[in-house]
Amino acid sequence: PNGDGLNDYFNIMLQPGQKVVSFQIFDRNGGMVYDNNDVNEGWNGLVLNTGDEVAQAVYFYRIVYSCTDGRNYESKGDITVVR
């Protein structure tokens, strides 16, 4: 994310009937840098509550979402920030 309009946000892509319960991103030490449950608002590479840019590094995400069956599901992975 560098403000050029290309790949400036990390967004969640949901299937019909799915809803975000939580969307969190952590640094390699386990510190939370992002926490949101609004599917329309992606992560822009800024630290939660401070607005500071995160360093170029690998970050880990955890997404909990619900489906039409009423159950919650979890997806985890990593994302590399390159500026």
Side-chain angles (χ1 to χ4, degrees):
N2 61 5
D4 67 355
L6 301 172
N7 299 314
D8 286 334
Y9 288 89
F10 177 57
N11 292 322
I12 301 171
M13 303 294 288
L14 296 176
Q15 300 296 319
Q18 294 177 332
K19 294 184 180 175
V20 175
V21 175
S22 70
F23 175 26
Q24 300 169 320
I25 299 178
F26 303 89
D27 63 22
R28 68 181 184 161
N29 297 318
M32 187 181 304
V33 296
Y34 183 78
D35 184 20
N36 192 0
N37 63 356
D38 182 355
V39 71
N40 297 313
E41 184 180 324
W43 182 50
N44 60 359
L46 300 179
V47 178
L48 178 72
N49 297 327
T50 68
D52 296 333
E53 289 185 350
V54 297
Q56 289 193 151
V58 176
Y59 294 85
F60 304 93
Y61 65 83
R62 177 178 177 262
I63 301 166
V64 178
Y65 60 96
S66 65
C67 291
T68 55
D69 64 4
R71 297 178 58 196
N72 285 347
Y73 297 89
E74 181 177 67
S75 179
K76 295 179 181 179
D78 60 80
I79 182 171
T80 303
V81 172
V82 178
R83 297 191 189 278

